[in-house]
Amino acid sequence: MGKKDACGTSLPVDQYRKQIGKQDYKKTKSALKATRLKAEAKKNSSGFRDAFLVIVAILCFVLCVYFFFYLNLSTEMNLDVDED
């Protein structure tokens, strides 16, 4: 007797999932295809962005080292000129 009552009611989560599934079927094939292509393009573009960021980081590091040595050598030359 209790089993019949338990089967009649479904969980709110199941009802929510069914509602979402029905909404997904309402979308046209072209809309679904466009969404899929957009997601794939976003996923593929992250590789280029990561590579670009790595190159920029390396260039910044090289420039910092260059400026460090430039400032050190330029101050040493100025000291040599003052001693004459």
Side-chain angles (χ1 to χ4, degrees):
M1 207 194 267
K3 290 182 180 180
K4 288 182 182 178
D5 294 334
C7 292
T9 60
S10 62
L11 297 173
V13 174
D14 292 333
Q15 291 173 354
Y16 178 72
R17 288 178 182 162
K18 287 180 184 178
Q19 183 182 11
I20 290 176
K22 288 178 184 177
Q23 289 176 359
D24 199 31
Y25 286 124
K26 289 179 185 177
K27 294 179 183 176
T28 62
K29 288 184 179 182
S30 61
L32 291 173
K33 186 176 180 181
T35 304
R36 189 185 78 237
L37 291 175
K38 186 177 178 183
E40 287 178 2
K42 186 177 180 182
K43 187 174 115 178
N44 291 337
S45 68
S46 66
F48 294 116
R49 185 182 62 191
D50 291 343
F52 178 73
L53 289 176
V54 168
I55 292 171
V56 168
I58 292 171
L59 286 175
C60 288
F61 177 74
V62 169
L63 285 174
C64 288
V65 170
Y66 174 78
F67 283 124
F68 174 74
F69 285 120
Y70 176 76
L71 292 174
N72 276 345
L73 293 176
S74 65
T75 55
E76 288 179 8
M77 287 181 179
N78 289 337
L79 293 174
D80 291 339
V81 172
D82 291 338
E83 291 178 3
D84 285 340

